[in-house]
């Protein structure tokens, strides 16, 4: 058995991590609070605070200008990434099927002054992805939607990424169910199949991280 270096993430350790990350700004904090107060049953869909710090870091690190997101919800990840674009440069296309949840996103983006950098497309993500230009043009994509679509979304996104472009995939551990043999159907099984698919794709160099519910960073290499 390989040595495990992971710490158990206690509430105290999690608070410590957040205290040493860039803090959420006022609009991000208000959106987190609003989502948990107004949509308590589905608020778990929202990216956690450490990812609201990681995503803009990745946008700035890569110098990405053409961004894509699959899975908008109430808009925290889109807001976090769009804020990292230099003013007047770059844009984010974000895909969702819910008019209701994304209405909250639109309000937050307007309040944050980034609405002009974000284009929201409401339709099944596979249709929206297939309508994008076929040639490589994306610098960074974030995949965070229905897990039974992950493989198909990956297959649409990878050819549209520039070589060197980054694909960030959320929930790749799916609450640990990816290693539970009793889970043979549903999102845990879908994510397990996706992880196997991604790991053997020679067009991409992929690294799975134990951030939050698991994040894979995949870079187009060919
Ligand atoms: C986990 S949430 C996204 C969370 C978001 N990234 C955030 O930071 O708050 C997943 C989203 O995927 C959307 N979704 C589910 N099935 C979809 C589909 N077939 N096409 C497009 N979006 C879909 C849901 O409406 C939901 O808003």
């Amino acid at each position: 058995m390989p040595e495990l270096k992971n710490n158990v993430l206690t509430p105290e350790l999690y608070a410590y991590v957040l205290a040493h990350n860039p803090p959420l700004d006022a609009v991000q904090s208000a959106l987190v609070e609003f989502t948990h107060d107004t949509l308590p049953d589905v608020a778990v869909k929202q990216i956690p605070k450490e990812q609201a710090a990681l995503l803009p870091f990745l946008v700035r690190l890569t110098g990405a200008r053409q961004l894509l997101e699959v899975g908008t919800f109430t808009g925290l990840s889109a807001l976090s990434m769009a804020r990292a674009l230099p003013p007047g440069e770059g844009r984010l296309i974000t895909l969702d099927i819910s008019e209701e949840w994304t209405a909250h996103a639109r309000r937050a983006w307007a309040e944050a002054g980034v609405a002009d950098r974000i284009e929201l497309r409401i339709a099944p993500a596979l249709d929206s992805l297939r309508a994008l230009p076929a040639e490589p043009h994306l610098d960074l994509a974030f995949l965070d939607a229905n897990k039974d679509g992950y493989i198909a979304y990956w297959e649409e996104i990878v050819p549209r990424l520039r070589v060197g472009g980054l694909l960030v995939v959320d929930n790749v551990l799916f609450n640990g169910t990816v290693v539970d043999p009793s889970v043979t159907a549903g999102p845990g099984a879908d994510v397990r199949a996706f992880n196997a698919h991604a790991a053997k794709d020679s067009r991409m160099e992929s690294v799975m991280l134990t951030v939050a519910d698991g994040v894979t960073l995949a870079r187009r290499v060919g």
Side-chain angles (χ1 to χ4, degrees):
M1 198 62 181
E3 183 190 357
L4 291 177
K5 287 204 171 176
N6 294 62
N7 290 296
V8 173
L9 195 59
T10 61
E12 292 75 19
L13 197 51
Y14 185 51
Y16 179 86
V17 169
L18 294 181
H20 290 78
N21 273 349
L24 298 190
D25 64 31
V27 181
Q28 288 173 311
S29 297
L31 184 56
V32 170
E33 201 172 319
F34 173 86
T35 303
H36 283 79
D37 289 352
T38 315
L39 304 166
D41 297 342
V42 289
V44 69
K45 290 180 182 293
Q46 188 171 59
I47 54 161
K49 291 177 180 175
E50 64 272 34
Q51 278 176 249
L54 177 63
L55 288 170
F57 180 90
L58 292 173
V59 171
R60 283 189 279 264
L61 179 71
T62 58
R65 294 291 183 272
Q66 300 304 320
L67 314 180
L68 173 75
E69 171 177 78
V70 188
T72 317
F73 189 47
T74 57
L76 180 60
S77 45
L79 169 59
S80 305
M81 290 190 285
R83 278 230 152 148
L85 290 170
E89 279 186 58
R91 69 171 184 155
L92 166 65
I93 294 175
T94 181
L95 315 177
D96 209 288
I97 43 171
S98 171
E99 290 280 7
E100 182 200 339
W101 291 338
T102 58
H104 305 303
R106 287 185 199 275
R107 271 197 298 278
W109 301 335
E111 201 179 325
V114 295
D116 59 340
R117 301 176 207 176
I118 303 178
E119 185 187 335
L120 172 61
R121 298 185 180 176
I122 300 289
L126 200 53
D127 295 345
S128 297
L129 288 169
R130 287 180 176 156
L132 292 172
E135 69 275 5
H137 65 284
L138 299 172
D139 299 311
L140 188 150
F142 178 50
L143 177 49
D144 186 22
N146 53 311
K147 308 313 170 203
D148 59 355
Y150 264 29
I151 291 178
Y153 300 158
W154 171 276
E155 285 302 318
E156 296 299 328
I157 293 168
V158 169
R160 293 174 167 88
L161 273 179
R162 296 187 209 275
V163 172
L166 184 66
L167 176 44
V168 183
V169 186
D170 202 13
N171 307 112
V172 296
L173 301 179
F174 213 80
N175 300 314
T177 54
V178 288
V179 292
D180 181 346
S182 71
V183 174
T184 56
D190 294 333
V191 171
R192 186 189 303 134
F194 166 78
N195 289 335
H197 183 85
K200 67 175 196 301
D201 189 330
S202 60
R203 298 168 297 178
M204 303 293 282
E205 176 190 13
S206 298
V207 178
M208 188 182 282
L209 304 176
T210 55
V211 175
D213 190 26
V215 172
T216 287
L217 300 183
R219 190 174 67 95
R220 184 160 181 198
V221 291

